[in-house]
Amino acid sequence: MLHGTRIIEFEALGPAPFAGMLLADLGAEVIVVHRKTGGDNPAKQDVTLLDRGKRSIALDLKDAADHGTAHALIRSADGLTEGMRPGVMERLGLGPEQAHALNPALVYGRMTGWGQTGPRARQAAHDLNYLALSGALFYAGQDEPPFVPPTMLGDIGAGAMYLAVGMLAGLLKARQTGQGCVVDAAIVDGASHMMALLLSMGPQFSTHARGQSLLDGPHWSRCYACADGRHISVQCLEPKFYALFLDLLSLSGDAGFARQYDPETWPVLTARLAGLFAAKPLAHWAALFDGTDACVAPVLSPDEARADPHIAAREIWTQGAEGPASAPRFDTHRPTPRPSPTKGQDSAAILQDLKDKGLL
Protein backbone atom coordinates (compact mmCIF):
# COMPACT_ATOMS: atom_id res chain seq x y z
CA MET A 1 0.00 0.00 0.00
CA LEU A 2 2.92 2.36 0.68
CA HIS A 3 5.23 1.11 -2.06
CA GLY A 4 7.47 3.93 -3.26
CA THR A 5 7.41 5.79 0.07
CA ARG A 6 10.76 6.17 1.83
CA ILE A 7 10.91 6.78 5.58
CA ILE A 8 14.14 7.46 7.45
CA GLU A 9 13.89 6.29 11.07
CA PHE A 10 16.48 7.36 13.63
CA GLU A 11 17.04 4.61 16.18
CA ALA A 12 14.92 4.99 19.31
CA LEU A 13 12.98 2.93 21.84
CA GLY A 14 9.41 1.63 21.93
CA PRO A 15 6.70 3.53 20.08
CA ALA A 16 8.83 5.18 17.37
CA PRO A 17 10.29 1.92 16.00
CA PHE A 18 6.87 0.26 16.35
CA ALA A 19 5.40 2.94 14.09
CA GLY A 20 8.25 2.31 11.67
CA MET A 21 7.52 -1.42 11.70
CA LEU A 22 3.86 -0.71 10.94
CA LEU A 23 4.78 1.51 7.99
CA ALA A 24 7.25 -1.12 6.75
CA ASP A 25 4.58 -3.81 7.07
CA LEU A 26 2.37 -1.65 4.86
CA GLY A 27 5.04 -1.51 2.17
CA ALA A 28 7.05 1.62 2.89
CA GLU A 29 10.82 1.49 2.50
CA VAL A 30 11.93 2.22 6.05
CA ILE A 31 15.65 2.82 6.52
CA VAL A 32 16.57 2.75 10.19
CA VAL A 33 19.70 4.65 11.16
CA HIS A 34 21.30 2.51 13.84
CA ARG A 35 24.08 3.78 16.05
CA LYS A 36 27.50 2.42 15.22
CA THR A 37 28.07 1.94 18.95
CA GLY A 38 25.54 0.80 21.55
CA GLY A 39 23.39 3.31 23.39
CA ASP A 40 23.16 3.84 27.15
CA ASN A 41 20.13 1.58 27.64
CA PRO A 42 21.22 -1.96 28.63
CA ALA A 43 17.78 -3.34 27.73
CA LYS A 44 18.04 -2.13 24.12
CA GLN A 45 19.26 -4.70 21.62
CA ASP A 46 20.90 -3.56 18.42
CA VAL A 47 18.16 -5.05 16.24
CA THR A 48 14.75 -6.30 17.38
CA LEU A 49 11.44 -7.60 16.04
CA LEU A 50 10.41 -3.95 15.65
CA ASP A 51 13.03 -3.63 12.90
CA ARG A 52 11.41 -6.26 10.70
CA GLY A 53 10.93 -5.25 7.10
CA LYS A 54 13.35 -2.34 7.44
CA ARG A 55 16.78 -1.70 5.97
CA SER A 56 19.63 -0.83 8.32
CA ILE A 57 22.50 1.61 8.00
CA ALA A 58 24.90 2.22 10.89
CA LEU A 59 26.04 5.81 11.37
CA ASP A 60 27.87 7.90 13.94
CA LEU A 61 25.93 11.16 13.78
CA LYS A 62 28.81 13.05 15.41
CA ASP A 63 31.15 12.03 12.59
CA ALA A 64 31.28 14.58 9.74
CA ALA A 65 31.12 12.02 6.94
CA ASP A 66 28.27 10.07 8.55
CA HIS A 67 26.47 13.33 9.27
CA GLY A 68 26.68 14.09 5.56
CA THR A 69 25.18 10.68 4.83
CA ALA A 70 22.29 11.49 7.17
CA HIS A 71 21.69 14.70 5.20
CA ALA A 72 21.67 12.72 1.96
CA LEU A 73 19.16 10.26 3.42
CA ILE A 74 16.90 13.15 4.41
CA ARG A 75 17.07 14.63 0.91
CA SER A 76 16.05 11.25 -0.53
CA ALA A 77 13.11 10.66 1.82
CA ASP A 78 9.40 11.33 1.99
CA GLY A 79 9.31 11.12 5.78
CA LEU A 80 11.49 10.96 8.87
CA THR A 81 10.71 9.65 12.36
CA GLU A 82 12.61 10.09 15.60
CA GLY A 83 11.95 9.35 19.25
CA MET A 84 14.52 11.54 21.04
CA ARG A 85 13.84 13.98 23.86
CA PRO A 86 13.00 17.48 22.62
CA GLY A 87 16.13 19.32 21.49
CA VAL A 88 18.36 16.29 20.85
CA MET A 89 17.88 16.20 17.09
CA GLU A 90 18.40 19.96 16.92
CA ARG A 91 21.73 19.60 18.75
CA LEU A 92 22.73 16.98 16.21
CA GLY A 93 21.93 19.41 13.40
CA LEU A 94 19.06 17.20 12.24
CA GLY A 95 16.03 18.98 13.68
CA PRO A 96 12.97 19.97 11.63
CA GLU A 97 14.34 23.34 10.56
CA GLN A 98 17.60 21.84 9.32
CA ALA A 99 15.78 18.91 7.68
CA HIS A 100 13.28 21.12 5.87
CA ALA A 101 16.12 23.26 4.55
CA LEU A 102 17.36 20.07 2.87
CA ASN A 103 13.95 18.74 1.86
CA PRO A 104 10.94 21.12 2.07
CA ALA A 105 8.45 18.31 1.35
CA LEU A 106 9.67 16.12 4.21
CA VAL A 107 7.13 14.92 6.80
CA TYR A 108 9.06 15.03 10.07
CA GLY A 109 7.55 12.77 12.75
CA ARG A 110 8.46 13.28 16.41
CA MET A 111 7.52 10.70 19.05
CA THR A 112 7.69 11.65 22.73
CA GLY A 113 5.78 11.06 25.92
CA TRP A 114 5.05 14.64 26.95
CA GLY A 115 5.27 16.38 23.56
CA GLN A 116 7.61 19.03 22.20
CA THR A 117 6.24 21.83 24.40
CA GLY A 118 4.91 22.28 27.93
CA PRO A 119 6.44 22.24 31.45
CA ARG A 120 7.14 18.50 31.36
CA ALA A 121 8.45 18.32 27.78
CA ARG A 122 12.05 17.56 28.77
CA GLN A 123 11.29 15.40 31.80
CA ALA A 124 11.85 11.65 31.83
CA ALA A 125 8.79 9.41 32.27
CA HIS A 126 7.27 6.19 31.03
CA ASP A 127 4.00 4.74 29.75
CA LEU A 128 2.30 4.57 33.17
CA ASN A 129 3.10 8.22 33.94
CA TYR A 130 1.62 9.53 30.70
CA LEU A 131 -1.57 7.51 31.23
CA ALA A 132 -1.81 8.71 34.83
CA LEU A 133 -1.53 12.42 34.06
CA SER A 134 -3.92 12.23 31.08
CA GLY A 135 -6.72 10.75 33.20
CA ALA A 136 -6.76 7.51 31.22
CA LEU A 137 -5.41 5.46 34.14
CA PHE A 138 -8.18 6.60 36.49
CA TYR A 139 -10.51 3.74 35.56
CA ALA A 140 -7.91 0.96 35.71
CA GLY A 141 -9.11 -1.28 38.51
CA GLN A 142 -11.99 -0.96 40.94
CA ASP A 143 -11.28 -0.60 44.66
CA GLU A 144 -7.57 -1.36 44.56
CA PRO A 145 -4.92 1.12 43.31
CA PRO A 146 -4.89 1.53 39.53
CA PHE A 147 -3.05 -1.42 37.99
CA VAL A 148 -0.26 -1.15 35.46
CA PRO A 149 -1.86 -1.74 32.04
CA PRO A 150 0.07 -3.35 29.18
CA THR A 151 2.48 -0.95 27.53
CA MET A 152 0.35 -1.29 24.39
CA LEU A 153 -2.14 1.21 25.79
CA GLY A 154 0.23 4.13 26.06
CA ASP A 155 3.33 3.43 23.99
CA ILE A 156 1.47 1.78 21.14
CA GLY A 157 -2.20 2.86 21.31
CA ALA A 158 -1.60 6.47 22.35
CA GLY A 159 1.87 6.81 20.86
CA ALA A 160 2.93 4.72 17.86
CA MET A 161 -0.51 4.62 16.25
CA TYR A 162 -0.92 8.39 16.47
CA LEU A 163 2.55 8.87 15.00
CA ALA A 164 1.70 6.52 12.12
CA VAL A 165 -1.63 8.27 11.43
CA GLY A 166 0.08 11.64 11.60
CA MET A 167 2.75 10.53 9.16
CA LEU A 168 0.16 9.23 6.70
CA ALA A 169 -1.85 12.45 6.90
CA GLY A 170 1.31 14.51 6.42
CA LEU A 171 2.41 12.41 3.44
CA LEU A 172 -0.96 12.87 1.74
CA LYS A 173 -0.78 16.63 2.23
CA ALA A 174 2.83 16.82 1.07
CA ARG A 175 1.96 15.00 -2.15
CA GLN A 176 -0.83 17.47 -2.80
CA THR A 177 1.12 20.63 -1.97
CA GLY A 178 4.83 19.79 -2.00
CA GLN A 179 5.02 21.19 1.51
CA GLY A 180 6.18 19.08 4.43
CA CYS A 181 5.23 19.43 8.09
CA VAL A 182 6.19 18.40 11.61
CA VAL A 183 4.13 15.71 13.35
CA ASP A 184 4.25 16.18 17.14
CA ALA A 185 3.00 12.81 18.44
CA ALA A 186 2.88 12.74 22.25
CA ILE A 187 1.61 9.80 24.29
CA VAL A 188 -0.11 12.16 26.74
CA ASP A 189 -2.01 13.71 23.81
CA GLY A 190 -3.02 10.35 22.37
CA ALA A 191 -4.11 8.97 25.75
CA SER A 192 -6.30 12.02 26.33
CA HIS A 193 -7.71 11.79 22.82
CA MET A 194 -8.60 8.10 23.23
CA MET A 195 -10.82 9.01 26.20
CA ALA A 196 -13.25 10.68 23.79
CA LEU A 197 -15.00 7.35 23.21
CA LEU A 198 -15.61 6.82 26.92
CA LEU A 199 -16.73 10.41 27.45
CA SER A 200 -19.07 10.23 24.45
CA MET A 201 -21.09 7.51 26.15
CA GLY A 202 -22.41 9.89 28.79
CA PRO A 203 -21.81 10.57 32.49
CA GLN A 204 -22.93 7.11 33.60
CA PHE A 205 -19.90 5.66 31.80
CA SER A 206 -17.35 8.04 33.27
CA THR A 207 -18.24 9.13 36.79
CA HIS A 208 -15.59 10.79 38.91
CA ALA A 209 -15.60 7.93 41.40
CA ARG A 210 -13.47 4.89 40.65
CA GLY A 211 -15.31 1.60 40.52
CA GLN A 212 -18.68 3.21 39.86
CA SER A 213 -18.76 3.84 36.12
CA LEU A 214 -20.43 1.44 33.72
CA LEU A 215 -17.11 -0.01 32.60
CA ASP A 216 -15.20 -0.41 35.86
CA GLY A 217 -17.94 -1.03 38.43
CA PRO A 218 -20.60 -3.57 37.40
CA HIS A 219 -20.59 -7.28 38.03
CA TRP A 220 -20.96 -7.77 34.27
CA SER A 221 -17.77 -5.83 33.37
CA ARG A 222 -14.75 -7.47 35.00
CA CYS A 223 -12.68 -10.65 35.22
CA TYR A 224 -13.34 -13.52 37.59
CA ALA A 225 -11.08 -16.23 39.02
CA CYS A 226 -11.99 -19.82 38.22
CA ALA A 227 -11.46 -22.96 40.31
CA ASP A 228 -8.07 -23.64 38.72
CA GLY A 229 -6.75 -20.12 39.32
CA ARG A 230 -7.33 -19.10 35.71
CA HIS A 231 -9.54 -16.14 34.78
CA ILE A 232 -12.58 -15.42 32.62
CA SER A 233 -13.55 -12.01 31.20
CA VAL A 234 -17.15 -10.75 31.25
CA GLN A 235 -18.48 -7.57 29.62
CA CYS A 236 -22.10 -8.01 28.58
CA LEU A 237 -22.97 -4.30 28.43
CA GLU A 238 -26.16 -4.35 26.36
CA PRO A 239 -29.36 -5.79 27.94
CA LYS A 240 -29.79 -8.48 25.27
CA PHE A 241 -26.28 -9.79 25.86
CA TYR A 242 -26.71 -9.55 29.63
CA ALA A 243 -29.95 -11.56 29.38
CA LEU A 244 -28.15 -14.29 27.43
CA PHE A 245 -25.33 -14.28 29.99
CA LEU A 246 -27.83 -14.84 32.81
CA ASP A 247 -29.66 -17.51 30.87
CA LEU A 248 -26.50 -19.54 30.30
CA LEU A 249 -25.75 -19.33 34.03
CA SER A 250 -29.36 -20.34 34.89
CA LEU A 251 -29.87 -16.97 36.58
CA SER A 252 -32.63 -15.58 34.34
CA GLY A 253 -35.28 -15.92 37.03
CA ASP A 254 -33.13 -14.50 39.82
CA ALA A 255 -34.65 -11.16 40.87
CA GLY A 256 -31.33 -10.01 42.32
CA PHE A 257 -29.78 -9.83 38.85
CA ALA A 258 -32.73 -8.01 37.27
CA ARG A 259 -31.42 -4.46 37.84
CA GLN A 260 -28.43 -4.56 35.54
CA TYR A 261 -27.51 -0.87 35.79
CA ASP A 262 -28.20 -0.24 39.49
CA PRO A 263 -24.84 0.53 41.21
CA GLU A 264 -26.26 -0.39 44.62
CA THR A 265 -26.57 -4.02 43.52
CA TRP A 266 -23.13 -4.35 41.93
CA PRO A 267 -21.02 -5.30 45.00
CA VAL A 268 -23.40 -8.07 46.08
CA LEU A 269 -23.81 -9.45 42.55
CA THR A 270 -20.06 -9.30 41.96
CA ALA A 271 -19.54 -11.45 45.06
CA ARG A 272 -22.19 -13.92 43.89
CA LEU A 273 -20.66 -14.29 40.45
CA ALA A 274 -17.20 -14.59 41.97
CA GLY A 275 -18.40 -17.55 44.02
CA LEU A 276 -20.10 -19.09 41.00
CA PHE A 277 -17.09 -18.85 38.69
CA ALA A 278 -14.75 -20.07 41.44
CA ALA A 279 -16.64 -23.39 41.57
CA LYS A 280 -15.53 -24.62 38.12
CA PRO A 281 -12.27 -24.51 36.11
CA LEU A 282 -11.78 -22.15 33.19
CA ALA A 283 -12.30 -24.90 30.60
CA HIS A 284 -15.85 -25.43 31.88
CA TRP A 285 -16.79 -21.76 31.56
CA ALA A 286 -15.03 -21.32 28.22
CA ALA A 287 -17.00 -24.26 26.80
CA LEU A 288 -20.28 -22.96 28.23
CA PHE A 289 -19.99 -19.56 26.60
CA ASP A 290 -18.20 -20.62 23.42
CA GLY A 291 -20.07 -19.59 20.26
CA THR A 292 -22.57 -17.38 22.11
CA ASP A 293 -23.20 -13.61 22.21
CA ALA A 294 -22.85 -13.45 26.01
CA CYS A 295 -19.63 -11.41 25.65
CA VAL A 296 -17.50 -13.77 27.71
CA ALA A 297 -13.98 -14.96 26.82
CA PRO A 298 -11.18 -16.78 28.62
CA VAL A 299 -8.04 -14.87 29.64
CA LEU A 300 -5.29 -16.63 27.68
CA SER A 301 -1.54 -16.48 27.85
CA PRO A 302 0.21 -15.32 24.66
CA ASP A 303 1.18 -18.90 23.83
CA GLU A 304 -2.38 -20.12 24.40
CA ALA A 305 -3.73 -17.29 22.27
CA ARG A 306 -1.66 -18.43 19.30
CA ALA A 307 -3.37 -21.84 19.46
CA ASP A 308 -6.89 -20.46 19.83
CA PRO A 309 -9.09 -21.58 16.89
CA HIS A 310 -10.10 -18.03 15.95
CA ILE A 311 -6.56 -16.65 16.15
CA ALA A 312 -5.29 -19.64 14.19
CA ALA A 313 -8.01 -19.34 11.54
CA ARG A 314 -7.00 -15.73 10.88
CA GLU A 315 -3.35 -16.80 10.67
CA ILE A 316 -2.31 -13.99 12.98
CA TRP A 317 0.74 -15.99 14.02
CA THR A 318 1.80 -17.77 10.84
CA GLN A 319 4.33 -20.56 11.10
CA GLY A 320 7.85 -19.33 10.57
CA ALA A 321 6.87 -15.67 10.56
CA GLU A 322 8.75 -13.17 12.69
CA GLY A 323 6.13 -11.85 15.11
CA PRO A 324 2.42 -11.31 14.44
CA ALA A 325 0.94 -10.82 11.00
CA SER A 326 0.67 -7.31 9.60
CA ALA A 327 -2.50 -5.37 10.43
CA PRO A 328 -4.85 -4.05 9.15
CA ARG A 329 -5.68 -6.23 6.14
CA PHE A 330 -6.53 -5.29 2.57
CA ASP A 331 -8.61 -7.06 -0.04
CA THR A 332 -6.02 -6.53 -2.76
CA HIS A 333 -3.10 -8.26 -1.08
CA ARG A 334 -1.71 -9.36 2.26
CA PRO A 335 1.66 -7.89 3.23
CA THR A 336 4.40 -10.39 4.02
CA PRO A 337 6.88 -8.65 6.34
CA ARG A 338 10.55 -9.30 5.73
CA PRO A 339 12.82 -10.39 8.60
CA SER A 340 14.72 -7.85 10.70
CA PRO A 341 18.11 -6.89 9.26
CA THR A 342 21.35 -7.20 11.13
CA LYS A 343 22.78 -3.91 12.33
CA GLY A 344 24.25 -2.04 9.38
CA GLN A 345 23.35 -4.87 7.00
CA ASP A 346 22.29 -2.53 4.19
CA SER A 347 24.88 0.21 4.68
CA ALA A 348 26.81 -0.47 1.47
CA ALA A 349 23.68 -0.77 -0.69
CA ILE A 350 22.11 2.37 0.78
CA LEU A 351 25.30 4.38 0.30
CA GLN A 352 25.53 3.21 -3.30
CA ASP A 353 21.90 4.16 -3.90
CA LEU A 354 22.56 7.67 -2.55
CA LYS A 355 25.61 7.99 -4.81
CA ASP A 356 23.61 6.80 -7.81
CA LYS A 357 21.02 9.50 -7.05
CA GLY A 358 23.77 12.12 -6.87
CA LEU A 359 23.08 12.80 -3.20
CA LEU A 360 26.55 11.81 -1.96
Side-chain angles (χ1 to χ4, degrees), residues 1-7 17-30 50-54 160-161 163-169 171 175 324-338:
M1 303 303 286
L2 295 179
H3 179 73
T5 300
R6 173 176 281 190
I7 307 292
F18 187 98
M21 182 192 73
L22 174 59
L23 296 172
D25 282 353
L26 297 180
E29 179 195 11
V30 179
L50 299 186
D51 288 319
R52 77 175 185 188
K54 303 175 185 177
M161 293 300 182
L163 175 60
V165 169
M167 292 298 294
L168 294 174
L171 289 167
R175 287 176 180 177
S326 176
R329 304 183 185 203
F330 304 91
D331 64 346
T332 52
H333 72 289
R334 185 171 183 180
T336 303
R338 301 183 306 277

Side-chain angles (χ1 to χ4, degrees), residues 86-147:
V88 171
M89 290 295 282
E90 283 83 352
R91 290 196 295 273
L92 289 170
L94 298 169
E97 186 174 344
Q98 296 100 325
H100 281 141
L102 297 167
N103 183 352
L106 186 76
V107 179
Y108 194 111
R110 319 199 76 173
M111 182 74 258
T112 60
W114 298 122
Q116 297 297 315
T117 60
R120 294 178 180 265
R122 295 175 185 270
Q123 292 180 8
H126 286 293
D127 190 283
L128 187 65
N129 311 125
Y130 310 131
L131 295 175
L133 198 73
S134 71
L137 191 66
F138 185 76
Y139 298 102
Q142 285 83 30
D143 299 324
E144 68 278 3
F147 61 82

Side-chain angles (χ1 to χ4, degrees), residues 141-192:
Q142 285 83 30
D143 299 324
E144 68 278 3
F147 61 82
V148 180
T151 187
M152 293 176 286
L153 180 58
D155 281 357
I156 306 307
M161 293 300 182
Y162 279 83
L163 175 60
V165 169
M167 292 298 294
L168 294 174
L171 289 167
L172 285 172
K173 188 66 174 178
R175 287 176 180 177
Q176 293 172 351
T177 66
Q179 183 63 45
C181 65
V182 177
V183 180
D184 179 1
I187 298 174
V188 70
D189 292 357
S192 301

Side-chain angles (χ1 to χ4, degrees), residues 104-346:
L106 186 76
V107 179
Y108 194 111
R110 319 199 76 173
M111 182 74 258
T112 60
W114 298 122
Q116 297 297 315
T117 60
R120 294 178 180 265
R122 295 175 185 270
Q123 292 180 8
H126 286 293
D127 190 283
L128 187 65
N129 311 125
Y130 310 131
L131 295 175
L133 198 73
S134 71
L137 191 66
F138 185 76
Y139 298 102
Q142 285 83 30
D143 299 324
E144 68 278 3
F147 61 82
V148 180
T151 187
M152 293 176 286
L153 180 58
D155 281 357
I156 306 307
M161 293 300 182
Y162 279 83
L163 175 60
V165 169
M167 292 298 294
L168 294 174
L171 289 167
L172 285 172
K173 188 66 174 178
R175 287 176 180 177
Q176 293 172 351
T177 66
Q179 183 63 45
C181 65
V182 177
V183 180
D184 179 1
I187 298 174
V188 70
D189 292 357
S192 301
H193 189 260
M194 288 196 300
M195 291 181 67
L197 177 61
L198 179 66
L199 298 174
S200 72
M201 296 179 180
Q204 73 271 29
F205 278 86
S206 55
T207 66
H208 295 296
R210 297 184 66 248
Q212 295 183 31
S213 80
L214 279 188
L215 293 184
D216 72 347
H219 52 291
W220 45 262
S221 183
R222 60 181 60 226
C223 292
Y224 290 96
C226 303
D228 53 0
R230 305 293 302 280
H231 294 86
I232 192 93
S233 70
V234 177
Q235 196 168 58
C236 41
L237 168 64
E238 293 84 355
K240 62 180 179 181
F241 300 144
Y242 179 68
L244 179 58
F245 170 75
L246 295 180
D247 184 57
L248 290 168
L249 291 176
S250 301
L251 294 172
S252 296
D254 193 312
F257 284 91
R259 294 178 296 173
Q260 179 182 359
Y261 301 113
D262 184 354
E264 293 184 1
T265 68
W266 293 346
V268 172
L269 298 181
T270 295
R272 288 187 59 186
L273 287 179
L276 182 63
F277 282 113
K280 300 283 186 180
L282 175 63
H284 169 84
W285 300 117
L288 177 66
F289 292 103
D290 186 43
T292 76
D293 284 342
C295 303
V296 177
V299 178
L300 303 180
S301 71
D303 286 341
E304 290 172 326
R306 295 187 188 206
D308 176 81
H310 181 79
I311 303 295
R314 290 187 62 79
E315 298 181 332
I316 294 174
W317 298 92
T318 54
Q319 187 173 6
E322 183 182 17
S326 176
R329 304 183 185 203
F330 304 91
D331 64 346
T332 52
H333 72 289
R334 185 171 183 180
T336 303
R338 301 183 306 277
S340 299
T342 57
K343 183 175 182 177
Q345 172 180 311
D346 305 292

